[in-house]
Amino acid sequence: MLFYFSATGNSQWIALQLASLTGDEACSITDFIKNKSVPALPTGTARVGFVFPIHSWYVPAPVLQFLSQLAIPASAYRYAICTCGDDVGKGLSRLSRHFPLDAAWSIQMPNTYVPMFKLDPPALAQQKVETAQQQLPRIASAVKRKEHVWEVHEGSWPWCKTYVVYPLFKNFCISIKAFQTDDTCISCGRCEQHCPVSAIRLVNGHPTWNNACIHCMACLHGCPTHAICYGKGTKGKGQYHLEDYINDER
Ligand SMILES: Cc1cc2nc3c(=O)[nH]c(=O)nc-3n(C[C@H](O)[C@H](O)[C@H](O)COP(=O)(O)O)c2cc1C
C-alpha cells in the first residue's frame, strides 16, 4: 500500500511510478480527506509507504492528521518519501519521532512555492525531474527488500528550519488574505475541484478561500487562465506544470 498527498503533481508522479515498480497500490490521501474517511489496512499488510511534499521543512498538516488516524499492523515495514524543491530540514526526523519509519528518502523536484520563491528555471526543473526518475528503481528495490535506509537531504541549518521557521510559517505566513483573482477568471471551478483540502468555494462565480488553506498553490498553478495570484508575491512568476517536464511515454 502506498499513500500519497500531492498539490501540484510532483508527489503523485513519484508515487505512481514507485507503485508500478513495487507492484503496490497507490491511493490518494486527498480522497480520504475529502470523504472524511480513513482506510483500514488488512492485518497481513507487509509494507506501507507515504509520499508527500515538504511544506516549510515539515510535513503538511493534512498528512500529519491522516497518519495520526491510520492503524498500521505492527509487523509492516513503513517508509516515507518526501519531495522537496531543495531540502527537507529535520522534517522527516521530526515525523519519525512520533510516527516511526523504517526508511526515508527525499527527492528533489521543481519548486512550487511562488509566494516567497521563484519557480526553478526550466533547465533546472527538467534536470530535477530526470534525476528523480533515475532514483526510483533503486528506491523501489530497497522498499521491496524492506531495507533500513535514511537518505534524506536535510540542507543547512536543518534544526532551525524545522523547529523555528516552520512554526513561524504555519502561524504567520499561511494566510488567505492575499489570494485574488483578476478579470481573466472564467469561473470554471477548477480551483475548487483541485484544492486538496476543500479550502475554495465559488461564490457568485468567483473563488473564495477559507482557513483550511495550506498554501499548497494547487489553485494558482492549476488555473487555466492564470487568474489567481497571491498579492504582489507571485507577480510575474508564472505557473508550474509538471507536464512540461515529462513525456507521455513515461
Ligand atoms: C507551502 C509550501 C512550502 C514548501 N516548503 C518547502 C521547503 O521547506 N523546502 C523545499 O525544499 N521545498 C519546499 N516546497 C516545495 C515543494 O516541497 C516541492 O515543490 C514539492 O515537490 C511539491 O509537491 P507536490 O507537487 O506534490 O505538491 C514548498 C512548497 C509549498 C507549496
Side-chain angles (χ1 to χ4, degrees), residues 156-179:
S156 56
W157 299 90
W159 193 92
C160 183
K161 284 170 172 168
T162 297
Y163 290 95
V164 180
V165 179
Y166 167 73
L168 294 172
F169 175 81
K170 184 167 169 276
N171 292 316
F172 301 110
C173 297
I174 299 184
S175 158
I176 55 173
K177 286 188 196 143
F179 277 113

Side-chain angles (χ1 to χ4, degrees), residues 23-59:
D24 288 335
E25 184 189 350
C27 303
S28 166
I29 292 176
T30 304
D31 293 342
F32 293 106
I33 294 171
K34 290 197 170 172
N35 295 331
K36 296 189 170 49
S37 65
V38 182
L41 296 180
T43 41
T45 302
R47 59 180 179 240
V48 191
F50 304 91
V51 185
F52 49 83
I54 198 83
H55 279 183
S56 193
W57 298 289
Y58 197 41
V59 181

Side-chain angles (χ1 to χ4, degrees), residues 5-12 53-57 83-87 109-113 169 214-217:
F5 180 84
S6 186
T8 39
N10 288 350
S11 309
Q12 180 183 42
I54 198 83
H55 279 183
S56 193
W57 298 289
T83 71
C84 60
D86 293 298
D87 52 59
M109 286 290 285
N111 178 46
T112 55
Y113 195 59
F169 175 81
I214 55 167
H215 264 210
C216 72
M217 301 294 137

Side-chain angles (χ1 to χ4, degrees), residues 1-3 24 41 45-50 70-73 76-80 99 101:
M1 207 59 140
L2 176 52
F3 295 100
D24 288 335
L41 296 180
T45 302
R47 59 180 179 240
V48 191
F50 304 91
L70 194 65
I72 301 177
Y77 170 81
R78 299 148 67 115
Y79 68 96
F99 186 83
L101 293 166

Side-chain angles (χ1 to χ4, degrees), residues 16 26 40 43 111 135 169 177 192 196 207 219 225 242 250:
L16 296 184
T43 41
N111 178 46
Q135 285 173 266
F169 175 81
K177 286 188 196 143
E192 183 179 9
C219 54
T225 60
L242 173 62
R250 287 181 185 157

